[in-house]
Amino acid sequence: MAETVETPLLDDVVEGSIDYKGQPVNRSKSGRWRSASFIIGVEMAERFAYYGISSNLISYLTGPLGQSTATAAENVNAWSGTASLLPLLGAFVADSFLGRYKTIIIASVLYILGLGFLTLSAVLPSFKSSECQNKENVTSCSPPEFQIILFFFSLYLVAVAQGGHKPCVQAFGADQFDGQDPEESKAKSSFFNWWYFGMCGGTVVTLVILTYIQDNLSWGLGFGIPCLVMGFALILFLLGTMTYRFRVNSDGTSPFVRIGQVFVRAVRNWRTTSSATSVEEESQGILPYQGSQQFKFLNKALVAPDGSKQDEKVCSISEVEEAKAVLRLFPTWATCLVYAVVFSQSSTLFTKQGVTMDRSISPSLEVPAASLQSFISLSIVMFIPIYDRILVPIARAITRKPSGITMLQRIGTGLLLSCLSMVIAAIVEMKRLETAKEYELVDKPNATVPMNVAWLIPQYLLLGVSESFTMVGLQEFFYDQVPSELKSIGLALYLSIFGMGSFLSSFLISVIEKATGGDGRDSWFSSNLNKAHLDYFYWLLAGLSAVALIAFLYSAKSYVYNRGSNI
């Protein structure tokens, strides 16, 4: 009896996707939650490793490396900003050359190398002279120059690795769901919720366990554990290979090249008359829907400089619409920058606040200040199931939208909550300064202010709930609203908000430090926080957040979603 070859039914084939062998994929045997579970697990491990560095980095810089609070905060912001901007490069490489799968593997290997070198740099002080080791104040010993160079090299190697890993993993996870299938479309919307849930689950473990190890046991061990975890993440990712769906590029042209050509040709044709453009629009059958009326100057890319059509020198309407879709994202990108500045405070100035407060659980045990960031993740872990399983179905029944509320409505809600979190942070800091003054601790920077660190919990919790709205909303928005072949760059644009936010935070701190310090005065960011005025900075951020929210609402009101978008 001849052996029959099993071929997938046509209605069971996922259009635009192939399997790891390059064959059409069977819907029932590939992708969906089975594949997404592997990828969510990888993200949990990667976030465990990333926050194992970033959450307590300011303590390492002001401790073993002996930097001032302002310098350390600027360095942390510069590094996190770079780490959040490099995904633009990683997404470009993935979408134009390697593909997301190969980029993730290469980035994971670089991640492991970076963490390995970082661990080595942390254990190098053990080889210093006994004279330095015997001093009570270890931070007074300047680390060897080689250790400092190796540390920052390793740190930025991790940033490069994260730049390739972060946008591709999430986009690859979302690729496992077919947006054209009604059931999988709903699952894709839930994927972004549970993705963030899993990510924060990994972060909680980091903040509770690793920060304690770093503060009380060993920085080498605190950096070495994330290295091992990333090795496990790479193995886990490879195990799911046979179940993954891989997106197919519709043509051989890089999407970056196509979109770039639209802008270049529109600029070259800036003198083209509107009548010539209108003729070409009509010939290509452009429908007069609202989105096509935006950025009409790009329609000049449809015609040649002399107004005549030459196929080799003009762009198609689909290419012009792709460019418009990317351009429509920038008002949202710009208005969320202040939110990113607020977000960056949780791992820098919030942590320095906590260091000065009463963190004792027992006479022999203190809560690491950086571990308070776990309350952000805990609030997300608690809120997202409520949002996904209760609030979304209720909203879905009212609005008839798969996601319940629109992505921009979700983002705006989070922006409002982040503004309120800064108001609370300012009030708590005012209380901390009053307590320090009451107990005459203003001139004692190393003394513990008799105010329980639990006072900081509300600002962390509210910031976490705001993340549940804004962060997840931004992820889905920047994935959903870009052309199908630019999903990685869409998520990289989302991440770049936080990169620019970190740089803006560093810039603000630097400017305010110079403006309020000097000539014997204590700046807002004095190393003696009892003489500083972080409360003024928090009030400033609250005011900027309010202005940014108003600008966001204005831009969101006129935003036109892509046709076919599942909102």
Side-chain angles (χ1 to χ4, degrees), residues 396-431:
R396 189 180 289 154
I398 297 172
T399 64
R400 303 297 179 185
K401 298 180 185 296
S403 58
I405 60 176
T406 67
M407 291 172 275
L408 290 176
Q409 288 171 342
R410 184 170 187 173
I411 293 167
T413 302
L415 295 182
L416 174 62
L417 294 176
S418 72
C419 179
L420 295 177
S421 73
M422 293 315 298
V423 171
I424 293 174
I427 293 173
V428 171
E429 177 61 8
M430 290 172 65
K431 172 66 176 175

PDB file of all heavy atoms in Angstrom, residues 396-431:
ATOM      1  N   ARG A 396     -16.067  44.881  26.374  1.00  0.00           N
ATOM      2  CA  ARG A 396     -16.299  44.280  25.060  1.00  0.00           C
ATOM      3  C   ARG A 396     -17.795  44.160  24.771  1.00  0.00           C
ATOM      4  O   ARG A 396     -18.247  44.385  23.642  1.00  0.00           O
ATOM      5  CB  ARG A 396     -15.627  42.904  25.025  1.00  0.00           C
ATOM      6  CG  ARG A 396     -15.592  42.248  23.654  1.00  0.00           C
ATOM      7  CD  ARG A 396     -14.899  40.901  23.744  1.00  0.00           C
ATOM      8  NE  ARG A 396     -13.470  41.049  23.979  1.00  0.00           N
ATOM      9  CZ  ARG A 396     -12.711  40.131  24.568  1.00  0.00           C
ATOM     10  NH1 ARG A 396     -13.275  39.018  25.034  1.00  0.00           N
ATOM     11  NH2 ARG A 396     -11.418  40.328  24.718  1.00  0.00           N
ATOM     12  N   ALA A 397     -18.565  43.830  25.793  1.00  0.00           N
ATOM     13  CA  ALA A 397     -20.017  43.710  25.623  1.00  0.00           C
ATOM     14  C   ALA A 397     -20.653  45.066  25.309  1.00  0.00           C
ATOM     15  O   ALA A 397     -21.666  45.140  24.611  1.00  0.00           O
ATOM     16  CB  ALA A 397     -20.634  43.131  26.888  1.00  0.00           C
ATOM     17  N   ILE A 398     -20.026  46.134  25.809  1.00  0.00           N
ATOM     18  CA  ILE A 398     -20.580  47.484  25.593  1.00  0.00           C
ATOM     19  C   ILE A 398     -20.115  48.063  24.261  1.00  0.00           C
ATOM     20  O   ILE A 398     -20.917  48.610  23.487  1.00  0.00           O
ATOM     21  CB  ILE A 398     -20.164  48.417  26.751  1.00  0.00           C
ATOM     22  CG1 ILE A 398     -20.755  47.903  28.075  1.00  0.00           C
ATOM     23  CG2 ILE A 398     -20.616  49.849  26.469  1.00  0.00           C
ATOM     24  CD1 ILE A 398     -20.246  48.647  29.297  1.00  0.00           C
ATOM     25  N   THR A 399     -18.812  47.946  23.991  1.00  0.00           N
ATOM     26  CA  THR A 399     -18.243  48.608  22.807  1.00  0.00           C
ATOM     27  C   THR A 399     -18.206  47.725  21.565  1.00  0.00           C
ATOM     28  O   THR A 399     -17.998  48.234  20.463  1.00  0.00           O
ATOM     29  CB  THR A 399     -16.811  49.069  23.104  1.00  0.00           C
ATOM     30  OG1 THR A 399     -15.975  47.914  23.349  1.00  0.00           O
ATOM     31  CG2 THR A 399     -16.780  49.984  24.327  1.00  0.00           C
ATOM     32  N   ARG A 400     -18.331  46.400  21.734  1.00  0.00           N
ATOM     33  CA  ARG A 400     -18.244  45.448  20.631  1.00  0.00           C
ATOM     34  C   ARG A 400     -16.861  45.424  19.983  1.00  0.00           C
ATOM     35  O   ARG A 400     -16.704  45.059  18.829  1.00  0.00           O
ATOM     36  CB  ARG A 400     -19.291  45.758  19.542  1.00  0.00           C
ATOM     37  CG  ARG A 400     -20.719  45.787  20.052  1.00  0.00           C
ATOM     38  CD  ARG A 400     -21.148  44.439  20.592  1.00  0.00           C
ATOM     39  NE  ARG A 400     -22.523  44.482  21.107  1.00  0.00           N
ATOM     40  CZ  ARG A 400     -23.113  43.461  21.732  1.00  0.00           C
ATOM     41  NH1 ARG A 400     -22.421  42.330  21.909  1.00  0.00           N
ATOM     42  NH2 ARG A 400     -24.352  43.556  22.169  1.00  0.00           N
ATOM     43  N   LYS A 401     -15.846  45.806  20.736  1.00  0.00           N
ATOM     44  CA  LYS A 401     -14.473  45.766  20.253  1.00  0.00           C
ATOM     45  C   LYS A 401     -13.748  44.587  20.908  1.00  0.00           C
ATOM     46  O   LYS A 401     -13.931  44.349  22.101  1.00  0.00           O
ATOM     47  CB  LYS A 401     -13.738  47.072  20.581  1.00  0.00           C
ATOM     48  CG  LYS A 401     -14.346  48.316  19.935  1.00  0.00           C
ATOM     49  CD  LYS A 401     -13.551  49.553  20.306  1.00  0.00           C
ATOM     50  CE  LYS A 401     -14.221  50.813  19.758  1.00  0.00           C
ATOM     51  NZ  LYS A 401     -14.252  50.818  18.287  1.00  0.00           N
ATOM     52  N   PRO A 402     -12.910  43.846  20.156  1.00  0.00           N
ATOM     53  CA  PRO A 402     -12.207  42.695  20.740  1.00  0.00           C
ATOM     54  C   PRO A 402     -11.379  43.048  21.973  1.00  0.00           C
ATOM     55  O   PRO A 402     -11.243  42.240  22.890  1.00  0.00           O
ATOM     56  CB  PRO A 402     -11.311  42.214  19.592  1.00  0.00           C
ATOM     57  CG  PRO A 402     -11.986  42.686  18.357  1.00  0.00           C
ATOM     58  CD  PRO A 402     -12.637  43.989  18.720  1.00  0.00           C
ATOM     59  N   SER A 403     -10.812  44.279  22.002  1.00  0.00           N
ATOM     60  CA  SER A 403      -9.960  44.671  23.130  1.00  0.00           C
ATOM     61  C   SER A 403     -10.719  45.396  24.233  1.00  0.00           C
ATOM     62  O   SER A 403     -10.128  45.833  25.212  1.00  0.00           O
ATOM     63  CB  SER A 403      -8.824  45.570  22.626  1.00  0.00           C
ATOM     64  OG  SER A 403      -9.348  46.712  21.979  1.00  0.00           O
ATOM     65  N   GLY A 404     -12.035  45.548  24.079  1.00  0.00           N
ATOM     66  CA  GLY A 404     -12.837  46.228  25.107  1.00  0.00           C
ATOM     67  C   GLY A 404     -12.842  47.727  24.907  1.00  0.00           C
ATOM     68  O   GLY A 404     -13.826  48.305  24.459  1.00  0.00           O
ATOM     69  N   ILE A 405     -11.740  48.368  25.261  1.00  0.00           N
ATOM     70  CA  ILE A 405     -11.568  49.790  24.996  1.00  0.00           C
ATOM     71  C   ILE A 405     -10.476  49.944  23.950  1.00  0.00           C
ATOM     72  O   ILE A 405      -9.686  49.023  23.722  1.00  0.00           O
ATOM     73  CB  ILE A 405     -11.201  50.584  26.274  1.00  0.00           C
ATOM     74  CG1 ILE A 405      -9.887  50.064  26.888  1.00  0.00           C
ATOM     75  CG2 ILE A 405     -12.331  50.531  27.284  1.00  0.00           C
ATOM     76  CD1 ILE A 405      -9.413  50.870  28.097  1.00  0.00           C
ATOM     77  N   THR A 406     -10.414  51.097  23.298  1.00  0.00           N
ATOM     78  CA  THR A 406      -9.389  51.283  22.279  1.00  0.00           C
ATOM     79  C   THR A 406      -8.013  51.370  22.932  1.00  0.00           C
ATOM     80  O   THR A 406      -7.881  51.650  24.120  1.00  0.00           O
ATOM     81  CB  THR A 406      -9.628  52.572  21.466  1.00  0.00           C
ATOM     82  OG1 THR A 406      -9.429  53.705  22.325  1.00  0.00           O
ATOM     83  CG2 THR A 406     -11.032  52.605  20.890  1.00  0.00           C
ATOM     84  N   MET A 407      -7.005  51.150  22.127  1.00  0.00           N
ATOM     85  CA  MET A 407      -5.635  51.191  22.630  1.00  0.00           C
ATOM     86  C   MET A 407      -5.288  52.573  23.158  1.00  0.00           C
ATOM     87  O   MET A 407      -4.605  52.714  24.186  1.00  0.00           O
ATOM     88  CB  MET A 407      -4.677  50.774  21.521  1.00  0.00           C
ATOM     89  CG  MET A 407      -4.793  49.306  21.147  1.00  0.00           C
ATOM     90  SD  MET A 407      -3.838  48.865  19.677  1.00  0.00           S
ATOM     91  CE  MET A 407      -4.983  49.296  18.367  1.00  0.00           C
ATOM     92  N   LEU A 408      -5.742  53.618  22.482  1.00  0.00           N
ATOM     93  CA  LEU A 408      -5.425  54.974  22.914  1.00  0.00           C
ATOM     94  C   LEU A 408      -6.154  55.336  24.204  1.00  0.00           C
ATOM     95  O   LEU A 408      -5.614  56.067  25.046  1.00  0.00           O
ATOM     96  CB  LEU A 408      -5.764  55.975  21.810  1.00  0.00           C
ATOM     97  CG  LEU A 408      -4.859  55.912  20.568  1.00  0.00           C
ATOM     98  CD1 LEU A 408      -5.344  56.867  19.490  1.00  0.00           C
ATOM     99  CD2 LEU A 408      -3.414  56.220  20.934  1.00  0.00           C
ATOM    100  N   GLN A 409      -7.368  54.832  24.399  1.00  0.00           N
ATOM    101  CA  GLN A 409      -8.079  55.045  25.662  1.00  0.00           C
ATOM    102  C   GLN A 409      -7.319  54.394  26.820  1.00  0.00           C
ATOM    103  O   GLN A 409      -7.217  54.954  27.914  1.00  0.00           O
ATOM    104  CB  GLN A 409      -9.492  54.488  25.569  1.00  0.00           C
ATOM    105  CG  GLN A 409     -10.424  55.303  24.695  1.00  0.00           C
ATOM    106  CD  GLN A 409     -11.753  54.608  24.438  1.00  0.00           C
ATOM    107  OE1 GLN A 409     -11.885  53.398  24.618  1.00  0.00           O
ATOM    108  NE2 GLN A 409     -12.745  55.368  24.001  1.00  0.00           N
ATOM    109  N   ARG A 410      -6.783  53.227  26.550  1.00  0.00           N
ATOM    110  CA  ARG A 410      -6.014  52.526  27.580  1.00  0.00           C
ATOM    111  C   ARG A 410      -4.742  53.294  27.927  1.00  0.00           C
ATOM    112  O   ARG A 410      -4.391  53.453  29.096  1.00  0.00           O
ATOM    113  CB  ARG A 410      -5.671  51.114  27.090  1.00  0.00           C
ATOM    114  CG  ARG A 410      -4.960  50.256  28.112  1.00  0.00           C
ATOM    115  CD  ARG A 410      -4.859  48.819  27.666  1.00  0.00           C
ATOM    116  NE  ARG A 410      -4.311  47.989  28.736  1.00  0.00           N
ATOM    117  CZ  ARG A 410      -4.235  46.670  28.693  1.00  0.00           C
ATOM    118  NH1 ARG A 410      -4.678  46.018  27.640  1.00  0.00           N
ATOM    119  NH2 ARG A 410      -3.712  45.999  29.708  1.00  0.00           N
ATOM    120  N   ILE A 411      -4.058  53.781  26.909  1.00  0.00           N
ATOM    121  CA  ILE A 411      -2.822  54.541  27.142  1.00  0.00           C
ATOM    122  C   ILE A 411      -3.124  55.798  27.950  1.00  0.00           C
ATOM    123  O   ILE A 411      -2.410  56.140  28.902  1.00  0.00           O
ATOM    124  CB  ILE A 411      -2.168  54.898  25.800  1.00  0.00           C
ATOM    125  CG1 ILE A 411      -1.671  53.631  25.088  1.00  0.00           C
ATOM    126  CG2 ILE A 411      -0.992  55.862  26.008  1.00  0.00           C
ATOM    127  CD1 ILE A 411      -1.285  53.850  23.632  1.00  0.00           C
ATOM    128  N   GLY A 412      -4.164  56.527  27.573  1.00  0.00           N
ATOM    129  CA  GLY A 412      -4.511  57.771  28.252  1.00  0.00           C
ATOM    130  C   GLY A 412      -4.836  57.573  29.714  1.00  0.00           C
ATOM    131  O   GLY A 412      -4.465  58.397  30.566  1.00  0.00           O
ATOM    132  N   THR A 413      -5.516  56.466  30.030  1.00  0.00           N
ATOM    133  CA  THR A 413      -5.826  56.166  31.433  1.00  0.00           C
ATOM    134  C   THR A 413      -4.551  56.004  32.252  1.00  0.00           C
ATOM    135  O   THR A 413      -4.427  56.517  33.365  1.00  0.00           O
ATOM    136  CB  THR A 413      -6.669  54.878  31.533  1.00  0.00           C
ATOM    137  OG1 THR A 413      -7.868  55.038  30.766  1.00  0.00           O
ATOM    138  CG2 THR A 413      -7.031  54.567  32.976  1.00  0.00           C
ATOM    139  N   GLY A 414      -3.572  55.308  31.681  1.00  0.00           N
ATOM    140  CA  GLY A 414      -2.295  55.128  32.372  1.00  0.00           C
ATOM    141  C   GLY A 414      -1.535  56.424  32.551  1.00  0.00           C
ATOM    142  O   GLY A 414      -0.882  56.640  33.579  1.00  0.00           O
ATOM    143  N   LEU A 415      -1.613  57.324  31.566  1.00  0.00           N
ATOM    144  CA  LEU A 415      -0.934  58.618  31.688  1.00  0.00           C
ATOM    145  C   LEU A 415      -1.505  59.424  32.855  1.00  0.00           C
ATOM    146  O   LEU A 415      -0.766  60.082  33.597  1.00  0.00           O
ATOM    147  CB  LEU A 415      -1.076  59.415  30.394  1.00  0.00           C
ATOM    148  CG  LEU A 415      -0.402  58.839  29.132  1.00  0.00           C
ATOM    149  CD1 LEU A 415      -0.606  59.774  27.945  1.00  0.00           C
ATOM    150  CD2 LEU A 415       1.077  58.601  29.370  1.00  0.00           C
ATOM    151  N   LEU A 416      -2.818  59.369  33.032  1.00  0.00           N
ATOM    152  CA  LEU A 416      -3.444  60.070  34.152  1.00  0.00           C
ATOM    153  C   LEU A 416      -2.964  59.507  35.489  1.00  0.00           C
ATOM    154  O   LEU A 416      -2.624  60.254  36.413  1.00  0.00           O
ATOM    155  CB  LEU A 416      -4.968  59.959  34.037  1.00  0.00           C
ATOM    156  CG  LEU A 416      -5.775  60.522  35.218  1.00  0.00           C
ATOM    157  CD1 LEU A 416      -5.529  62.019  35.376  1.00  0.00           C
ATOM    158  CD2 LEU A 416      -7.258  60.237  35.034  1.00  0.00           C
ATOM    159  N   LEU A 417      -2.903  58.179  35.578  1.00  0.00           N
ATOM    160  CA  LEU A 417      -2.479  57.538  36.828  1.00  0.00           C
ATOM    161  C   LEU A 417      -1.016  57.837  37.139  1.00  0.00           C
ATOM    162  O   LEU A 417      -0.635  57.992  38.305  1.00  0.00           O
ATOM    163  CB  LEU A 417      -2.709  56.029  36.743  1.00  0.00           C
ATOM    164  CG  LEU A 417      -4.175  55.582  36.669  1.00  0.00           C
ATOM    165  CD1 LEU A 417      -4.265  54.068  36.484  1.00  0.00           C
ATOM    166  CD2 LEU A 417      -4.936  55.999  37.919  1.00  0.00           C
ATOM    167  N   SER A 418      -0.170  57.921  36.115  1.00  0.00           N
ATOM    168  CA  SER A 418       1.250  58.230  36.355  1.00  0.00           C
ATOM    169  C   SER A 418       1.408  59.643  36.893  1.00  0.00           C
ATOM    170  O   SER A 418       2.278  59.910  37.730  1.00  0.00           O
ATOM    171  CB  SER A 418       2.066  58.041  35.079  1.00  0.00           C
ATOM    172  OG  SER A 418       1.800  59.067  34.136  1.00  0.00           O
ATOM    173  N   CYS A 419       0.576  60.559  36.425  1.00  0.00           N
ATOM    174  CA  CYS A 419       0.600  61.935  36.933  1.00  0.00           C
ATOM    175  C   CYS A 419       0.248  61.945  38.424  1.00  0.00           C
ATOM    176  O   CYS A 419       0.910  62.609  39.226  1.00  0.00           O
ATOM    177  CB  CYS A 419      -0.377  62.790  36.135  1.00  0.00           C
ATOM    178  SG  CYS A 419      -0.478  64.502  36.686  1.00  0.00           S
ATOM    179  N   LEU A 420      -0.775  61.171  38.788  1.00  0.00           N
ATOM    180  CA  LEU A 420      -1.172  61.089  40.199  1.00  0.00           C
ATOM    181  C   LEU A 420      -0.080  60.450  41.049  1.00  0.00           C
ATOM    182  O   LEU A 420       0.114  60.826  42.214  1.00  0.00           O
ATOM    183  CB  LEU A 420      -2.469  60.285  40.321  1.00  0.00           C
ATOM    184  CG  LEU A 420      -3.724  60.905  39.680  1.00  0.00           C
ATOM    185  CD1 LEU A 420      -4.919  59.957  39.807  1.00  0.00           C
ATOM    186  CD2 LEU A 420      -4.036  62.254  40.313  1.00  0.00           C
ATOM    187  N   SER A 421       0.653  59.482  40.485  1.00  0.00           N
ATOM    188  CA  SER A 421       1.727  58.828  41.245  1.00  0.00           C
ATOM    189  C   SER A 421       2.829  59.820  41.594  1.00  0.00           C
ATOM    190  O   SER A 421       3.425  59.741  42.675  1.00  0.00           O
ATOM    191  CB  SER A 421       2.307  57.646  40.455  1.00  0.00           C
ATOM    192  OG  SER A 421       3.102  58.088  39.375  1.00  0.00           O
ATOM    193  N   MET A 422       3.103  60.776  40.701  1.00  0.00           N
ATOM    194  CA  MET A 422       4.134  61.776  40.992  1.00  0.00           C
ATOM    195  C   MET A 422       3.654  62.768  42.046  1.00  0.00           C
ATOM    196  O   MET A 422       4.447  63.264  42.849  1.00  0.00           O
ATOM    197  CB  MET A 422       4.536  62.521  39.723  1.00  0.00           C
ATOM    198  CG  MET A 422       5.245  61.655  38.690  1.00  0.00           C
ATOM    199  SD  MET A 422       6.520  60.570  39.384  1.00  0.00           S
ATOM    200  CE  MET A 422       7.647  61.772  40.056  1.00  0.00           C
ATOM    201  N   VAL A 423       2.362  63.059  42.057  1.00  0.00           N
ATOM    202  CA  VAL A 423       1.811  63.916  43.107  1.00  0.00           C
ATOM    203  C   VAL A 423       1.998  63.248  44.469  1.00  0.00           C
ATOM    204  O   VAL A 423       2.438  63.879  45.445  1.00  0.00           O
ATOM    205  CB  VAL A 423       0.317  64.209  42.844  1.00  0.00           C
ATOM    206  CG1 VAL A 423      -0.316  64.915  44.045  1.00  0.00           C
ATOM    207  CG2 VAL A 423       0.154  65.055  41.587  1.00  0.00           C
ATOM    208  N   ILE A 424       1.682  61.957  44.544  1.00  0.00           N
ATOM    209  CA  ILE A 424       1.855  61.212  45.798  1.00  0.00           C
ATOM    210  C   ILE A 424       3.322  61.161  46.189  1.00  0.00           C
ATOM    211  O   ILE A 424       3.677  61.344  47.366  1.00  0.00           O
ATOM    212  CB  ILE A 424       1.275  59.784  45.647  1.00  0.00           C
ATOM    213  CG1 ILE A 424      -0.241  59.854  45.488  1.00  0.00           C
ATOM    214  CG2 ILE A 424       1.656  58.919  46.847  1.00  0.00           C
ATOM    215  CD1 ILE A 424      -0.881  58.517  45.195  1.00  0.00           C
ATOM    216  N   ALA A 425       4.221  60.920  45.212  1.00  0.00           N
ATOM    217  CA  ALA A 425       5.655  60.855  45.496  1.00  0.00           C
ATOM    218  C   ALA A 425       6.155  62.179  46.072  1.00  0.00           C
ATOM    219  O   ALA A 425       6.966  62.198  47.010  1.00  0.00           O
ATOM    220  CB  ALA A 425       6.425  60.513  44.222  1.00  0.00           C
ATOM    221  N   ALA A 426       5.664  63.290  45.536  1.00  0.00           N
ATOM    222  CA  ALA A 426       6.083  64.606  46.032  1.00  0.00           C
ATOM    223  C   ALA A 426       5.616  64.824  47.470  1.00  0.00           C
ATOM    224  O   ALA A 426       6.370  65.333  48.320  1.00  0.00           O
ATOM    225  CB  ALA A 426       5.525  65.703  45.124  1.00  0.00           C
ATOM    226  N   ILE A 427       4.380  64.434  47.759  1.00  0.00           N
ATOM    227  CA  ILE A 427       3.840  64.614  49.112  1.00  0.00           C
ATOM    228  C   ILE A 427       4.610  63.758  50.122  1.00  0.00           C
ATOM    229  O   ILE A 427       4.949  64.214  51.224  1.00  0.00           O
ATOM    230  CB  ILE A 427       2.335  64.253  49.129  1.00  0.00           C
ATOM    231  CG1 ILE A 427       1.551  65.277  48.299  1.00  0.00           C
ATOM    232  CG2 ILE A 427       1.805  64.221  50.563  1.00  0.00           C
ATOM    233  CD1 ILE A 427       0.088  64.914  48.102  1.00  0.00           C
ATOM    234  N   VAL A 428       4.917  62.509  49.748  1.00  0.00           N
ATOM    235  CA  VAL A 428       5.669  61.612  50.640  1.00  0.00           C
ATOM    236  C   VAL A 428       7.073  62.156  50.890  1.00  0.00           C
ATOM    237  O   VAL A 428       7.573  62.115  52.020  1.00  0.00           O
ATOM    238  CB  VAL A 428       5.723  60.187  50.053  1.00  0.00           C
ATOM    239  CG1 VAL A 428       6.688  59.306  50.853  1.00  0.00           C
ATOM    240  CG2 VAL A 428       4.337  59.562  50.042  1.00  0.00           C
ATOM    241  N   GLU A 429       7.711  62.686  49.853  1.00  0.00           N
ATOM    242  CA  GLU A 429       9.058  63.232  50.020  1.00  0.00           C
ATOM    243  C   GLU A 429       9.039  64.468  50.924  1.00  0.00           C
ATOM    244  O   GLU A 429       9.958  64.681  51.720  1.00  0.00           O
ATOM    245  CB  GLU A 429       9.662  63.568  48.657  1.00  0.00           C
ATOM    246  CG  GLU A 429      11.031  64.222  48.701  1.00  0.00           C
ATOM    247  CD  GLU A 429      12.112  63.376  49.357  1.00  0.00           C
ATOM    248  OE1 GLU A 429      11.858  62.191  49.659  1.00  0.00           O
ATOM    249  OE2 GLU A 429      13.234  63.900  49.561  1.00  0.00           O
ATOM    250  N   MET A 430       8.000  65.288  50.808  1.00  0.00           N
ATOM    251  CA  MET A 430       7.864  66.436  51.708  1.00  0.00           C
ATOM    252  C   MET A 430       7.767  65.964  53.161  1.00  0.00           C
ATOM    253  O   MET A 430       8.393  66.536  54.064  1.00  0.00           O
ATOM    254  CB  MET A 430       6.613  67.244  51.339  1.00  0.00           C
ATOM    255  CG  MET A 430       6.727  68.001  50.024  1.00  0.00           C
ATOM    256  SD  MET A 430       5.164  68.745  49.493  1.00  0.00           S
ATOM    257  CE  MET A 430       4.908  69.934  50.814  1.00  0.00           C
ATOM    258  N   LYS A 431       7.025  64.883  53.372  1.00  0.00           N
ATOM    259  CA  LYS A 431       6.883  64.306  54.716  1.00  0.00           C
ATOM    260  C   LYS A 431       8.223  63.773  55.219  1.00  0.00           C
ATOM    261  O   LYS A 431       8.591  63.954  56.395  1.00  0.00           O
ATOM    262  CB  LYS A 431       5.839  63.177  54.678  1.00  0.00           C
ATOM    263  CG  LYS A 431       5.728  62.357  55.943  1.00  0.00           C
ATOM    264  CD  LYS A 431       5.196  63.160  57.120  1.00  0.00           C
ATOM    265  CE  LYS A 431       5.007  62.279  58.339  1.00  0.00           C
ATOM    266  NZ  LYS A 431       4.593  63.061  59.546  1.00  0.00           N
TER     267      LYS A 431
END
